[in-house]
Amino acid sequence: MRAMYRVITVCALPWLSGIAVAEDWQVAKQADGITVSLSAQPGSDYKTYKGVVTINAPLVKVRGLQEDASGACAWIHECKSQKLLKHEGAKSWTYTQFNTPWPVTPRDSVLEVTSSEGADGSITRQLKGVPTYLPEEKGFVRVAQVEGYWKLEPKGPNATQVTYQVHTEPGGSVPSWLANKFVVDAPFNTLKSLKALAEQR
């Protein structure tokens, strides 16, 4: 079980939004204790999103929900299915399929997740898309690029601050209205569902 903590469910539909250089954050939505901010990404038509929420549950419980790769579709925005492909040391690989509204072809994504633990007990998982890790699936467009991270920070024995930041190049053709909607809905709905499940007694 200790090794399993590295296997986090990392995709909250990363088919629409590479990161690290995003700046000039603008708050796009604040509700239910969740703040979603957006930033333009140099060289990209798609914005980077960042969602932050404090969950009234210990970090170990939040982590447990994220370790369940297949069960995590209960809280990942528009997730159809997800599975763990491989786990090796501090790295894991996951494959996820996503629902998309008509007429957009459904997306799928393969991620490499590198996990680290801070001296303060925090957990960070860097997310990197590896689209050629698996052959393409019929009926899906493979997400071309993903870069981002999850960070879980303990805030006392019964609270965890969660930050989720991602930029994605979705591949294929995506209408601008859908892209703009996604970069707000994906982090917000993912964190809202994760918070609700983690706070259940």
Side-chain angles (χ1 to χ4, degrees):
M1 285 301 294
R2 182 62 180 171
M4 279 292 291
Y5 88 84
R6 299 187 181 96
V7 185
I8 190 170
T9 303
V10 295
C11 317
L13 223 194
W15 52 273
L16 280 176
S17 120
I19 242 176
V21 296
E23 297 177 355
D24 300 324
W25 294 101
Q26 301 293 322
V27 174
K29 183 171 184 177
Q30 284 184 309
D32 300 320
I34 301 165
T35 299
V36 174
S37 303
L38 304 179
S39 177
Q41 184 74 15
S44 175
D45 294 331
Y46 304 101
K47 291 185 177 181
T48 297
Y49 63 74
K50 178 170 63 176
V52 181
V53 66
T54 296
I55 296 175
N56 295 317
L59 187 147
V60 65
K61 186 174 184 181
V62 179
R63 188 179 73 192
L65 290 171
Q66 296 196 337
E67 287 171 355
D68 182 5
S70 60
C73 277
W75 53 268
I76 293 174
H77 179 65
E78 297 292 4
C79 179
K80 180 181 180 181
S81 65
Q82 181 168 264
K83 62 183 178 180
L84 174 67
L85 298 173
K86 183 180 179 181
H87 172 73
E88 188 176 87
K91 293 183 181 290
S92 60
W93 290 260
T94 60
Y95 173 71
T96 312
Q97 294 182 342
F98 302 101
N99 301 308
T100 55
W102 184 89
V104 179
T105 303
R107 261 51 178 181
D108 65 0
S109 177
V110 185
L111 292 186
E112 177 187 278
V113 187
T114 303
S115 303
S116 60
E117 192 164 352
D120 61 351
S122 64
I123 297 172
T124 301
R125 291 179 172 88
Q126 298 290 335
L127 317 179
K128 179 184 178 182
V130 284
T132 61
Y133 188 88
L134 289 179
E136 293 188 5
E137 293 280 342
K138 185 178 179 179
F140 290 85
V141 172
R142 181 65 46 85
V143 175
Q145 179 182 348
V146 181
E147 186 178 355
Y149 67 88
W150 281 94
K151 187 169 186 177
L152 312 181
E153 299 176 83
K155 299 295 180 180
N158 294 302
T160 306
Q161 181 174 292
V162 179
T163 303
Y164 174 53
Q165 182 175 324
V166 170
H167 177 90
T168 301
E169 296 294 330
S173 177
V174 177
S176 59
W177 66 266
L178 183 58
N180 292 333
K181 186 174 188 293
F182 168 81
V183 293
V184 176
D185 288 352
F188 182 83
N189 291 340
T190 294
L191 291 176
K192 183 177 181 180
S193 296
L194 177 61
K195 177 178 168 70
L197 284 173
E199 292 182 351
Q200 287 179 357
R201 299 299 180 184

